[in-house]
Amino acid sequence: MKDILLIAVFAFGGAVCAGAVGALVLRLVRHRSVAVSLTVVAAVTVTAMLAGTLAVAQAMFLSRHDLGVVTLVVAMAAVVALAVALLLGRWVVARSRELSLAARDFGDGGSFAAPPGLATAELVALSRELAATSEKLAVSRERERALETSRRELVAWISHDLRTPLAGLRAMSEALEDGMAEDPARYHRQIRTEVDRLNSMVGDLFELSRIHAGALALSPSRMSVYDLVGDALSGVHPLARERGVRLDGGAVDRVPVEVDGKEMTRVLANLLINAIRHTPADGTVAIAASVRADGGAVVVSVTDGCGGIPPQDLPRVFDTGWRGTPARTPPAGVASVPAPPAGAGLGLAIVRGIVEAHAGRAAVRNVPGGCRFEVTLPLPA
């Protein structure tokens, strides 16, 4: 038993010495390639076995011939192990280099495609992660392109919308200054109207900038959807009467929600004004509110008689600057009055921003004779 313990001590001592040297070498080459590290690991393993074997052989006082045979056998095993480690390292490095080149492609704006051929489980897992990241980047790039297009359109439209009233204001002020205005009171009223329009446009721009900057401060409180709808209907009733449009708010349930009353009233008012402007005279704009079938949220809908939105435009309705197309017209044979001047295309973008700030969702879909805007809000806990 004592001899066995002694042999074990000799073998352990030789292996520990070789392992310590190997650990030091690994630390020195830690910044080198995987192939070098694999070679060092294989060399340390074989050297530890060789050191332990030789230490035991010396302790057992083997003959010089037997010692030489043992040393030769272990040396051959070491050569084979190192050769395999080198081949394995080169293979792993080659797969890693191919993966790096593929990753560089999607980093430069392309899409990621995993290189063909076999790879280790770790490289396969890394390829899956890179593919998922590539898909997310592609979606982000597409969203960024859409936002950039929307910003350019918004700048163009705002520039045009500001130029028109400013030119009118200048012309009217010059006419008043030169005494050429036959009815100064009418000019004053028109100037006031244009100033109100500009003020409304600037207010929308400020609100949208707060939403995009994440600086929209909400003061939520528990209130009834019925009261919110009532306040919004009261605000748009004069416009509906002027346009000859009927308002129908008879399908609104008394559902409690936790929202910022001022901001949510603005959401409903924007939707109602938008519906009234696109509904022909003698048409109906209906607003309804009820709990969703699964009981997890309340859905407020505004249905108009605009004739529908072209399917290709539906995904862009809530984009900044979107103002529709000529295709959004009342049904054939239905009389309508001229629509008031279009806004800057900010109202629906503001609607979406405020609703999403309340952890809700805004959507739109076509229905027979028009379209329906839906605002989904979570019910209070």
Side-chain angles (χ1 to χ4, degrees):
M1 188 65 180
K2 183 177 179 181
D3 293 340
I4 295 176
L5 289 176
L6 186 61
I7 291 172
V9 168
F10 274 100
F12 181 76
V16 166
C17 292
V21 174
L24 179 61
V25 175
L26 275 177
R27 181 175 177 80
L28 294 176
V29 300
R30 63 185 182 276
H31 298 302
R32 304 293 295 274
S33 69
V34 177
V36 174
S37 297
L38 287 174
T39 303
V40 172
V41 169
V44 168
T45 303
V46 173
T47 303
M49 180 185 67
L50 177 62
T53 303
L54 292 179
V56 171
Q58 288 285 358
M60 293 176 65
F61 301 104
L62 295 177
S63 67
R64 185 177 298 275
H65 176 268
D66 292 341
L67 184 60
V69 171
V70 170
T71 303
L72 180 63
V73 170
V74 175
M76 291 299 100
V79 171
V80 173
L82 290 175
V84 171
L86 286 173
L87 290 175
L88 179 61
R90 288 175 61 86
W91 177 73
V92 171
V93 168
R95 298 282 82 78
S96 299
R97 188 176 295 112
E98 292 173 358
L99 193 59
S100 298
L101 293 175
R104 185 185 305 167
D105 288 341
F106 91 83
D108 292 337
S111 59
F112 176 79
L118 298 176
T120 62
E122 291 79 7
L123 292 180
V124 170
L126 180 59
S127 297
R128 285 197 297 266
E129 292 298 326
L130 288 174
T133 303
S134 176
E135 292 178 3
K136 293 177 182 177
L137 283 176
V139 172
S140 298
R141 291 191 190 102
E142 187 62 32
R143 186 184 301 115
E144 184 63 27
R145 280 193 291 267
L147 287 174
E148 185 59 31
T149 300
S150 162
R151 290 190 191 101
R152 287 197 298 266
E153 292 175 351
L154 176 62
V155 170
W157 288 335
I158 288 293
S159 301
H160 176 270
D161 287 348
L162 288 176
R163 188 184 298 114
T164 302
L166 288 174
L169 288 172
R170 179 173 182 175
M172 287 185 285
S173 64
E174 289 176 350
L176 289 170
E177 184 180 9
D178 296 338
M180 302 297 294
E182 298 179 358
D183 187 358
R186 183 173 65 86
Y187 275 62
H188 290 149
R189 289 193 299 272
Q190 186 64 29
I191 289 174
R192 176 63 182 271
T193 300
E194 293 297 333
V195 169
D196 287 343
R197 180 184 173 194
L198 289 173
N199 185 61
S200 175
M201 191 181 302
V202 171
D204 284 348
L205 282 171
F206 179 68
E207 183 78 1
L208 194 63
S209 68
R210 287 199 304 159
I211 291 172
H212 286 171
L216 183 63
L218 299 177
S219 301
S221 60
R222 188 178 292 255
M223 59 185 62
S224 172
V225 173
Y226 185 87
D227 295 332
L228 286 172
V229 172
D231 292 341
L233 286 173
S234 299
V236 302
H237 191 267
L239 176 62
R241 185 171 58 249
E242 177 188 347
R243 298 275 298 156
V245 174
R246 292 184 298 273
L247 296 176
D248 180 6
V252 179
D253 294 342
R254 297 179 182 272
V255 183
V257 289
E258 189 143 353
V259 296
D260 185 309
K262 178 183 175 182
E263 296 294 346
M264 197 51 60
T265 299
R266 178 170 190 171
V267 165
L268 300 181
N270 280 3
L271 292 177
L272 287 169
I273 290 172
N274 185 68
I276 292 169
R277 284 177 172 170
H278 291 91
T279 298
D282 220 16
T284 300
V285 170
I287 183 168
S290 60
V291 178
R292 200 169 59 188
D294 60 10
V298 59
V299 179
V300 183
S301 64
V302 175
T303 306
D304 60 30
C306 69
I309 299 174
Q312 66 272 16
D313 285 342
L314 284 174
R316 296 193 57 210
V317 167
F318 292 99
D319 288 353
T320 302
W322 186 86
R323 292 194 285 189
T325 66
R328 192 181 181 191
T329 56
V334 178
S336 64
V337 298
L346 305 180
L348 293 178
I350 291 173
V351 164
R352 180 174 63 179
I354 294 175
V355 171
E356 290 180 351
H358 284 84
R361 186 174 63 89
V364 61
R365 58 189 175 92
N366 285 325
V367 295
C371 59
R372 177 173 297 159
F373 288 84
E374 295 181 344
V375 171
T376 304
L377 297 171
L379 289 174

